[in-house]
């Protein structure tokens, strides 16, 4: 709950900051704590991230002021105490996220996907691959797999302007509670290079994830192949403080 509350405060503060001018001062910490009904620890975590991203700057003895964001080109996906997708996170920050579906088909799981999703290799899955852009600029190539018999409508749904996470919540009432992520380097092949607009063998950030519902049942297995020039991954490991 602490992580969720902190994220809500952070996102609301970001929207608030976007309506202010550079140099405007935020209300005092105590005032914001009362306004959001949170502890100082929770508020400071939210403000710390906006300072880190360059939206705010602290001046000793004077307060916290609106600044120019440093990350004008790099768009950061955060992994904190809530399971949200890239689309939701960047949209919350005021960016326009769109996807071009490049693969949307039903196929056999096979051994690797079957193990990841906890199903037989013969189980049908829906493969969904999207080329994702932020503010009109190509950002990454996302590939996701879900069980075909459980989610047959994923095969025909329009994912141009929505996320798979949000779709499964809205259409199937799926509660996503855990996201296990492994990050590595990946050199793109000719097809990936053509989609991303880079040279073959260009190094990419590869994030492999498995998303679970309660009871540790895998729901989504996927990868994101990200351009290091425009993407960052941020992990925030926090003990339960509230």
């Amino acid at each position: 709950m602490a992580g969720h509350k902190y994220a809500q405060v952070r996102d609301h503060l970001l929207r608030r900051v976007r309506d202010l001018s550079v140099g405007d001062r935020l209300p005092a910490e105590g005032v914001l704590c009362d306004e959001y009904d949170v502890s100082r620890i929770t508020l400071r975590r939210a403000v710390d991230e906006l300072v880190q991203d360059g939206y705010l700057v602290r001046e000793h003895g004077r307060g916290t002021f609106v600044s120019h964001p440093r990350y004008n080109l790099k768009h950061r996906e955060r992994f904190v105490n809530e399971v949200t997708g890239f689309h939701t996170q960047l949209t919350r920050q005021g960016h326009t996220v769109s996807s071009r579906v490049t693969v949307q088909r039903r196929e056999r799981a096979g051994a690797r996907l079957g193990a990841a999703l906890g199903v037989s290799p013969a189980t049908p899955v829906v493969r969904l691959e999207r080329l994702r852009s932020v503010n009109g600029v190509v950002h990454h190539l996302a590939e996701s797999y879900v069980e075909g018999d459980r989610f047959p409508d994923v095969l025909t749904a329009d994912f141009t302007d929505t996320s798979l996470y949000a779709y499964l919540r809205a259409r199937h009432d799926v509660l996503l509670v855990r996201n296990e992520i492994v990050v590595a380097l990946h050199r793109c092949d000719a097809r990936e290079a053509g989609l991303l607009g880079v040279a073959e063998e260009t190094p990419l950030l590869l994030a492999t994830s498995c998303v679970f519902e309660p009871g540790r049942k895998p729901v989504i297995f996927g990868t994101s192949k990200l351009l290091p020039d425009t993407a960052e991954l941020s992990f925030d490991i926090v003990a339960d403080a509230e």
Side-chain angles (χ1 to χ4, degrees):
M1 175 60 72
H4 181 61
K5 183 178 289 187
Y6 125 80
Q8 288 180 326
V9 174
R10 179 200 66 216
D11 292 342
H12 188 277
L13 275 175
L14 178 58
R15 292 193 295 270
R16 186 170 175 171
V17 164
R18 288 182 181 278
D19 290 332
L20 299 175
S21 300
V22 172
D24 286 350
R25 184 168 63 182
L26 287 190
E29 191 175 83
V31 173
L32 290 173
C33 286
D34 291 341
E35 181 178 338
Y36 290 112
D37 191 26
V38 295
S39 70
R40 289 182 183 268
I41 292 175
T42 298
L43 179 71
R44 284 172 185 168
R45 284 188 60 204
V47 172
D48 283 347
E49 281 202 0
L50 297 183
V51 170
Q52 182 181 7
D53 285 354
Y55 290 103
L56 297 173
V57 61
R58 286 192 178 97
E59 295 187 13
H60 183 68
R62 295 191 63 227
T64 304
F65 298 83
V66 177
S67 181
H68 290 286
R70 288 196 303 271
Y71 299 107
N72 293 322
L73 295 177
K74 288 200 173 186
H75 303 294
R76 173 178 293 186
E77 183 171 5
R78 298 188 184 279
F79 300 97
V80 292
N81 295 352
E82 58 175 342
V83 178
T84 59
F86 176 83
H87 186 282
T88 297
Q89 290 190 32
L90 272 290
T91 300
R92 282 179 181 175
Q93 296 174 29
H95 300 290
T96 299
V97 181
S98 61
S99 300
R100 176 164 68 89
V101 176
T102 49
V103 177
Q104 192 171 17
R105 67 176 180 236
R106 189 178 172 100
E107 54 189 50
R108 181 176 174 274
R112 174 173 169 267
L113 283 175
L117 290 172
V119 298
S120 161
T123 300
V125 296
V126 177
R127 177 187 174 192
L128 176 64
E129 183 188 73
R130 291 150 293 163
L131 184 65
R132 311 191 82 168
S133 299
V134 180
N135 302 329
V137 178
V138 172
H139 188 272
H140 72 274
L141 188 64
E143 188 174 48
S144 303
Y145 295 87
V146 298
E147 288 185 56
D149 291 341
R150 183 179 179 188
F151 307 113
D153 47 317
V154 171
L155 187 62
T156 55
D158 182 1
F159 289 98
T160 303
D161 296 307
T162 191
S163 75
L164 178 60
Y165 288 21
Y167 181 86
L168 293 182
R169 288 192 187 100
R171 294 295 298 268
H172 294 273
D173 198 27
V174 174
L175 178 62
L176 303 175
V177 298
R178 183 182 181 89
N179 191 356
E180 294 183 354
I181 303 141
V182 176
V183 179
L185 289 177
H186 169 78
R187 292 191 179 275
C188 61
D189 60 24
R191 177 179 176 274
E192 294 164 347
L195 289 169
L196 292 167
V198 296
E200 188 175 350
E201 295 292 315
T202 294
L204 307 174
L205 291 174
L206 172 66
T208 301
S209 68
C210 193
V211 184
F212 299 82
E213 61 187 338
R216 288 193 60 81
K217 166 63 179 173
V219 179
I220 307 167
F221 178 78
T223 62
S224 292
K225 295 167 183 174
L226 306 109
L227 296 166
D229 289 346
T230 58
E232 290 182 333
L233 302 174
S234 173
F235 296 85
D236 193 355
I237 302 170
V238 181
D240 191 4
E242 182 173 288

